[in-house]
Amino acid sequence: MRDLPLPLALTARLSPVVVLACAGWALTSGPFAPAPTAEHHAAQQDTPSGGAEASSSSTAPSSTAVSKAYASAPAPCASVAAKTIGSLVPGAKTAGKEIPSTDTKVRRTCSWNALKGFDYRWLDVSFEIMDSQAAAQKAYEDRTAEKSGGGAVPGLGDSAYSVVNLTTQDKQQTREGVVMARSSNALVVVTYNGSDFETKKAPDTDEINKGAIKAARDAVAALGNGRQG
């Protein structure tokens, strides 16, 4: 792994990534931003009824509680196995860096990034805990609709979707994969991207897509730490 500071020539070549990193995870965790070129890749409340408030709350759970399996987001930087981080982001510290959140019970995000030689990789994992399964499902449907060109990922949470996009800036390619998965009232969003600053090419679609799905499987499994007891 090349230590910073980088040689001036390489620093100039890395400027798009440096700007991206300084701008924060929101610019690279693009589940919420449109991407120019889509590359298709598919792996294939009710409220409680009436009655005395004291007795209903103590004798029967509300349907809202039933539809809310997770009370809080898990620690995001511990949600992806060290082995997974090592394979997807070579040279990154496995501890990652948690992004500040206004409410860590409902939203938490961790980011890993590293430059090894001329290969750059960035991984974000985000958890959102919603009030109900219905709310999480609506958010999932809205966001996948914004990210056209992808496909379903079978066997991941209650429903999952993945899409890969290619962008080019100053002749430098970056390929980014986004996986969105819903499990009960939780939404997991994984963003994984990469660039080669020697060839100016991006990793292939399959590598990025499989990497994002691998991290998403770890993250969904980690949701159990926030399950209501």
Side-chain angles (χ1 to χ4, degrees):
M1 166 143 186
R2 185 182 295 274
D3 293 326
L4 297 178
L6 299 171
L8 183 59
L10 178 56
T11 301
R13 299 179 73 181
L14 296 182
S15 58
V17 174
V18 173
V19 171
L20 187 66
C22 292
W25 71 274
L27 296 181
T28 164
S29 303
F32 315 112
T37 308
E39 300 170 339
H40 177 259
H41 188 98
Q44 273 224 4
Q45 329 178 318
D46 301 292
T47 56
S49 57
E53 285 186 28
S55 61
S56 63
S57 63
S58 61
T59 59
S62 70
S63 58
T64 299
V66 171
S67 66
K68 187 174 180 179
Y70 305 107
S72 60
C77 293
S79 67
V80 181
K83 181 171 65 175
T84 302
I85 297 299
S87 66
L88 299 186
V89 194
K93 295 180 179 179
T94 56
K97 180 179 180 181
E98 184 162 0
I99 307 302
S101 172
T102 55
D103 189 343
T104 56
K105 287 195 71 175
V106 298
R107 182 182 177 89
R108 296 183 74 176
T109 300
C110 190
S111 179
W112 298 262
N113 64 87
L115 177 70
K116 186 171 184 179
F118 291 94
D119 287 329
Y120 184 81
R121 295 293 184 275
W122 183 300
L123 174 68
D124 280 348
V125 174
S126 180
F127 295 92
E128 293 182 51
I129 306 300
M130 303 188 181
D131 288 337
S132 68
Q133 179 173 314
Q137 178 63 22
K138 185 179 186 306
Y140 172 81
E141 291 173 355
D142 289 347
R143 294 179 194 181
T144 55
E146 293 171 0
K147 287 286 186 180
S148 61
V153 183
L156 180 57
D158 294 320
S159 51
Y161 176 88
S162 102
V163 62
V164 179
N165 294 288
L166 177 68
T167 59
T168 303
Q169 182 178 350
D170 297 329
K171 298 183 180 181
Q172 174 63 61
Q173 294 182 343
T174 299
R175 185 166 272 116
E176 178 175 278
V178 175
V179 174
M180 288 175 268
R182 182 189 67 80
S183 178
S184 186
N185 63 306
L187 194 63
V188 177
V189 182
V190 171
T191 305
Y192 179 51
N193 65 44
S195 302
D196 184 325
F197 292 104
E198 184 172 33
T199 65
K200 289 189 174 290
K201 301 296 184 183
D204 64 38
T205 299
D206 199 47
E207 176 186 341
I208 293 297
N209 188 67
K210 286 182 176 179
I213 292 173
K214 184 176 183 180
R217 292 195 187 282
D218 284 6
V220 170
L223 274 170
N225 296 331
R227 183 177 290 275
Q228 300 221 108

